[in-house]
Amino acid sequence: DLFHKGEAVEDRLAQMNAKVNAVENEKAKLMDELAAMTKRADQLQREKDALEEQGLSLDKDLNNNRQLVLDLKEEVRKTKEYNSQIENEKLDLWTLIREHEVAHEQKDRTV
């Protein structure tokens, strides 16, 4: 009877060792998965940081471009104003030329 108990204990011990080995194997597999996930998380964080930096750079570029557009609009406004002044001066000159021509024609008629 003691012999059977000894065999039963050895069988039970073998079963427990098999379970411990299975748990250890599962633990090792999970640790490998955790390491891979941690590595992937670090990679994603680096990518996120790079994208945020790129986004900040793009925001800066966008703001610079907006300022350039505002500056160009101001230049266009100034150019239109200057062109308008030139047109007015041309009209004034044509008026003067015409008045001069009329004065000459009247002078020629009176002579």
Side-chain angles (χ1 to χ4, degrees), residues 3 6-7 23 33-34 39 48-49 52 72-73 83-84 86:
F3 178 74
E7 281 184 347
V23 167
E33 287 179 20
L34 177 61
K39 184 177 177 181
K48 177 183 177 245
D49 292 345
E52 285 175 351
L72 287 172
K73 283 182 177 180
N83 286 344
S84 178
I86 290 174

Side-chain angles (χ1 to χ4, degrees), residues 15 30 34 38-39 41 48 54 56-57 61 63 71 73 87 105:
Q15 289 173 356
L30 290 172
L34 177 61
T38 301
K39 184 177 177 181
K48 177 183 177 245
Q54 193 176 12
L56 292 176
S57 177
D61 289 347
N63 287 334
D71 293 347
K73 283 182 177 180
E87 285 300 315
E105 288 173 5

Side-chain angles (χ1 to χ4, degrees), residues 8 18 34 45 56 58-59 74 110:
L34 177 61
Q45 184 63 48
L56 292 176
L58 289 173
D59 285 344
E74 180 61 18
T110 56

Side-chain angles (χ1 to χ4, degrees), residues 36-48:
M37 292 169 99
T38 301
K39 184 177 177 181
R40 179 69 177 140
D42 291 344
Q43 177 186 354
L44 289 171
Q45 184 63 48
R46 285 190 301 275
E47 290 175 13
K48 177 183 177 245

Side-chain angles (χ1 to χ4, degrees), residues 4 8 13 15-16 19 40 46 54 70 74 85 89 91 104 107:
H4 289 296
L13 185 58
Q15 289 173 356
M16 293 301 281
K19 285 183 180 181
R40 179 69 177 140
R46 285 190 301 275
Q54 193 176 12
L70 291 175
E74 180 61 18
Q85 288 174 357
E89 289 175 16
L91 286 174
H104 266 289
K107 182 181 175 190

Side-chain angles (χ1 to χ4, degrees), residues 5-104:
K5 281 186 180 180
E7 281 184 347
V9 167
E10 285 181 19
D11 286 347
R12 184 78 176 132
L13 185 58
Q15 289 173 356
M16 293 301 281
N17 279 335
K19 285 183 180 181
V20 167
N21 287 340
V23 167
E24 288 293 327
N25 289 340
E26 185 65 22
K27 177 183 170 189
K29 182 176 140 187
L30 290 172
M31 293 299 284
D32 289 345
E33 287 179 20
L34 177 61
M37 292 169 99
T38 301
K39 184 177 177 181
R40 179 69 177 140
D42 291 344
Q43 177 186 354
L44 289 171
Q45 184 63 48
R46 285 190 301 275
E47 290 175 13
K48 177 183 177 245
D49 292 345
L51 287 171
E52 285 175 351
E53 184 66 31
Q54 193 176 12
L56 292 176
S57 177
L58 289 173
D59 285 344
K60 184 178 176 185
D61 289 347
L62 180 60
N63 287 334
N64 288 341
N65 287 342
R66 284 182 177 149
Q67 187 58 50
L68 284 174
V69 167
L70 291 175
D71 293 347
L72 287 172
K73 283 182 177 180
E74 180 61 18
E75 285 299 315
V76 166
R77 187 194 64 73
K78 286 179 182 178
T79 301
K80 285 180 178 178
E81 187 177 296
Y82 180 69
N83 286 344
S84 178
Q85 288 174 357
I86 290 174
E87 285 300 315
N88 288 337
E89 289 175 16
K90 280 172 47 179
L91 286 174
D92 290 347
L93 285 173
W94 280 114
T95 302
L96 285 174
I97 290 170
R98 186 66 190 136
E99 288 173 358
H100 185 70
E101 288 172 349
V102 167
H104 266 289

